[in-house]
mmCIF file of all heavy atoms in Angstrom:
data_model
loop_
_atom_site.group_PDB
_atom_site.id
_atom_site.type_symbol
_atom_site.label_atom_id
_atom_site.label_comp_id
_atom_site.label_asym_id
_atom_site.label_seq_id
_atom_site.Cartn_x
_atom_site.Cartn_y
_atom_site.Cartn_z
ATOM 1 N N TYR A 273 3.484 32.984 -49.409
ATOM 2 C CA TYR A 273 3.772 31.714 -48.801
ATOM 3 C C TYR A 273 2.619 30.640 -49.188
ATOM 4 O O TYR A 273 2.872 29.507 -49.484
ATOM 5 C CB TYR A 273 3.725 31.708 -47.216
ATOM 6 C CG TYR A 273 3.879 30.412 -46.601
ATOM 7 C CD1 TYR A 273 5.137 29.814 -46.470
ATOM 8 C CD2 TYR A 273 2.792 29.774 -45.945
ATOM 9 C CE1 TYR A 273 5.238 28.567 -45.696
ATOM 10 C CE2 TYR A 273 2.924 28.563 -45.331
ATOM 11 C CZ TYR A 273 4.200 28.028 -45.234
ATOM 12 O OH TYR A 273 4.329 26.732 -44.593
ATOM 13 N N GLN A 274 1.337 31.267 -49.260
ATOM 14 C CA GLN A 274 0.211 30.365 -49.572
ATOM 15 C C GLN A 274 0.146 30.178 -51.121
ATOM 16 O O GLN A 274 -0.430 29.068 -51.660
ATOM 17 C CB GLN A 274 -1.076 30.977 -49.068
ATOM 18 C CG GLN A 274 -1.172 31.156 -47.572
ATOM 19 C CD GLN A 274 -1.326 29.797 -46.940
ATOM 20 O OE1 GLN A 274 -1.866 28.798 -47.406
ATOM 21 N NE2 GLN A 274 -1.044 29.761 -45.605
ATOM 22 N N ASN A 275 0.490 31.160 -51.957
ATOM 23 C CA ASN A 275 0.153 31.110 -53.377
ATOM 24 C C ASN A 275 1.404 31.231 -54.371
ATOM 25 O O ASN A 275 1.378 31.253 -55.561
ATOM 26 C CB ASN A 275 -0.694 32.326 -53.771
ATOM 27 C CG ASN A 275 -2.001 32.297 -52.997
ATOM 28 O OD1 ASN A 275 -2.886 31.578 -53.307
ATOM 29 N ND2 ASN A 275 -2.129 33.028 -51.890
ATOM 30 N N GLY A 276 2.619 31.218 -53.674
ATOM 31 C CA GLY A 276 3.814 31.528 -54.495
ATOM 32 C C GLY A 276 4.391 30.352 -55.207
ATOM 33 O O GLY A 276 5.532 29.973 -55.239
ATOM 34 N N LYS A 277 3.432 29.806 -56.114
ATOM 35 C CA LYS A 277 3.732 28.714 -57.036
ATOM 36 C C LYS A 277 4.415 29.242 -58.193
ATOM 37 O O LYS A 277 4.352 30.481 -58.581
ATOM 38 C CB LYS A 277 2.558 27.890 -57.456
ATOM 39 C CG LYS A 277 1.700 27.485 -56.294
ATOM 40 C CD LYS A 277 2.462 26.646 -55.325
ATOM 41 C CE LYS A 277 1.317 26.189 -54.119
ATOM 42 N NZ LYS A 277 2.136 25.470 -53.067
ATOM 43 N N ASP A 278 5.277 28.371 -58.996
ATOM 44 C CA ASP A 278 6.055 28.843 -60.046
ATOM 45 C C ASP A 278 5.167 29.598 -61.139
ATOM 46 O O ASP A 278 5.564 30.663 -61.605
ATOM 47 C CB ASP A 278 6.704 27.665 -60.779
ATOM 48 C CG ASP A 278 7.841 27.110 -59.994
ATOM 49 O OD1 ASP A 278 8.325 27.910 -58.952
ATOM 50 O OD2 ASP A 278 8.332 26.065 -60.191
ATOM 51 N N GLU A 279 3.981 29.007 -61.476
ATOM 52 C CA GLU A 279 3.167 29.618 -62.513
ATOM 53 C C GLU A 279 2.707 31.098 -62.134
ATOM 54 O O GLU A 279 2.629 31.899 -62.965
ATOM 55 C CB GLU A 279 1.964 28.772 -62.898
ATOM 56 C CG GLU A 279 1.077 28.335 -61.809
ATOM 57 C CD GLU A 279 1.378 27.162 -61.019
ATOM 58 O OE1 GLU A 279 2.607 26.693 -61.045
ATOM 59 O OE2 GLU A 279 0.494 26.581 -60.305
ATOM 60 N N VAL A 280 2.405 31.152 -60.712
ATOM 61 C CA VAL A 280 1.925 32.537 -60.282
ATOM 62 C C VAL A 280 3.041 33.481 -60.274
ATOM 63 O O VAL A 280 3.040 34.622 -60.857
ATOM 64 C CB VAL A 280 1.342 32.485 -58.890
ATOM 65 C CG1 VAL A 280 1.040 33.799 -58.442
ATOM 66 C CG2 VAL A 280 0.134 31.460 -58.903
ATOM 67 N N LEU A 281 4.231 33.011 -59.830
ATOM 68 C CA LEU A 281 5.450 33.989 -59.824
ATOM 69 C C LEU A 281 5.874 34.295 -61.245
ATOM 70 O O LEU A 281 6.231 35.449 -61.541
ATOM 71 C CB LEU A 281 6.650 33.324 -59.123
ATOM 72 C CG LEU A 281 6.412 32.981 -57.633
ATOM 73 C CD1 LEU A 281 7.541 32.280 -56.961
ATOM 74 C CD2 LEU A 281 6.042 34.232 -56.810
ATOM 75 N N HIS A 282 5.717 33.310 -62.207
ATOM 76 C CA HIS A 282 6.063 33.623 -63.568
ATOM 77 C C HIS A 282 5.144 34.677 -64.151
ATOM 78 O O HIS A 282 5.630 35.523 -65.046
ATOM 79 C CB HIS A 282 6.149 32.293 -64.369
ATOM 80 C CG HIS A 282 7.125 31.403 -64.006
ATOM 81 N ND1 HIS A 282 7.351 30.110 -64.518
ATOM 82 C CD2 HIS A 282 8.185 31.432 -63.073
ATOM 83 C CE1 HIS A 282 8.272 29.509 -63.967
ATOM 84 N NE2 HIS A 282 8.892 30.300 -63.113
ATOM 85 N N ASP A 283 3.937 34.574 -63.859
ATOM 86 C CA ASP A 283 2.881 35.548 -64.422
ATOM 87 C C ASP A 283 3.262 36.860 -63.860
ATOM 88 O O ASP A 283 3.089 37.902 -64.686
ATOM 89 C CB ASP A 283 1.534 35.145 -64.047
ATOM 90 C CG ASP A 283 0.907 34.054 -64.755
ATOM 91 O OD1 ASP A 283 1.515 33.722 -65.828
ATOM 92 O OD2 ASP A 283 0.087 33.324 -64.439
ATOM 93 N N ILE A 284 3.667 37.084 -62.598
ATOM 94 C CA ILE A 284 4.062 38.337 -62.052
ATOM 95 C C ILE A 284 5.274 38.881 -62.859
ATOM 96 O O ILE A 284 5.177 40.117 -63.200
ATOM 97 C CB ILE A 284 4.322 38.233 -60.608
ATOM 98 C CG1 ILE A 284 3.045 37.801 -59.852
ATOM 99 C CG2 ILE A 284 4.911 39.571 -60.047
ATOM 100 C CD1 ILE A 284 3.305 37.591 -58.307
ATOM 101 N N GLY A 285 6.194 38.109 -63.126
ATOM 102 C CA GLY A 285 7.396 38.538 -63.882
ATOM 103 C C GLY A 285 7.068 38.952 -65.273
ATOM 104 O O GLY A 285 7.614 39.959 -65.727
ATOM 105 N N LYS A 286 6.198 38.271 -65.921
ATOM 106 C CA LYS A 286 5.701 38.643 -67.267
ATOM 107 C C LYS A 286 5.115 39.985 -67.332
ATOM 108 O O LYS A 286 5.263 40.834 -68.148
ATOM 109 C CB LYS A 286 4.816 37.562 -67.998
ATOM 110 C CG LYS A 286 5.558 36.267 -68.176
ATOM 111 C CD LYS A 286 4.466 35.150 -68.598
ATOM 112 C CE LYS A 286 5.104 33.850 -68.814
ATOM 113 N NZ LYS A 286 4.111 32.798 -69.229
ATOM 114 N N CYS A 287 4.204 40.218 -66.277
ATOM 115 C CA CYS A 287 3.438 41.427 -66.170
ATOM 116 C C CYS A 287 4.426 42.501 -65.944
ATOM 117 O O CYS A 287 4.289 43.649 -66.516
ATOM 118 C CB CYS A 287 2.459 41.328 -64.987
ATOM 119 S SG CYS A 287 1.517 42.816 -64.732
ATOM 120 N N CYS A 288 5.422 42.387 -65.096
ATOM 121 C CA CYS A 288 6.419 43.451 -64.806
ATOM 122 C C CYS A 288 7.254 43.738 -66.121
ATOM 123 O O CYS A 288 7.452 44.965 -66.273
ATOM 124 C CB CYS A 288 7.357 43.020 -63.748
ATOM 125 S SG CYS A 288 6.616 42.874 -62.093
ATOM 126 N N TYR A 289 7.635 42.691 -66.817
ATOM 127 C CA TYR A 289 8.322 42.967 -68.082
ATOM 128 C C TYR A 289 7.431 43.831 -68.959
ATOM 129 O O TYR A 289 7.952 44.873 -69.695
ATOM 130 C CB TYR A 289 8.760 41.722 -68.836
ATOM 131 C CG TYR A 289 9.214 42.003 -70.126
ATOM 132 C CD1 TYR A 289 10.540 42.480 -70.416
ATOM 133 C CD2 TYR A 289 8.529 41.587 -71.225
ATOM 134 C CE1 TYR A 289 11.056 42.776 -71.597
ATOM 135 C CE2 TYR A 289 9.077 41.753 -72.581
ATOM 136 C CZ TYR A 289 10.279 42.356 -72.617
ATOM 137 O OH TYR A 289 10.820 42.608 -73.909
ATOM 138 N N ASN A 290 6.106 43.445 -69.226
ATOM 139 C CA ASN A 290 5.238 44.170 -70.018
ATOM 140 C C ASN A 290 5.063 45.678 -69.519
ATOM 141 O O ASN A 290 4.928 46.547 -70.294
ATOM 142 C CB ASN A 290 3.878 43.502 -70.090
ATOM 143 C CG ASN A 290 4.021 42.194 -70.914
ATOM 144 O OD1 ASN A 290 4.782 42.037 -71.868
ATOM 145 N ND2 ASN A 290 3.147 41.170 -70.587
#
Side-chain angles (χ1 to χ4, degrees):
Y273 179 77
Q274 298 289 339
N275 302 279
K277 312 301 181 186
D278 285 346
E279 58 271 21
V280 175
L281 298 180
H282 293 175
D283 284 344
I284 294 172
K286 291 175 185 177
C287 180
C288 292
Y289 171 72
N290 289 331

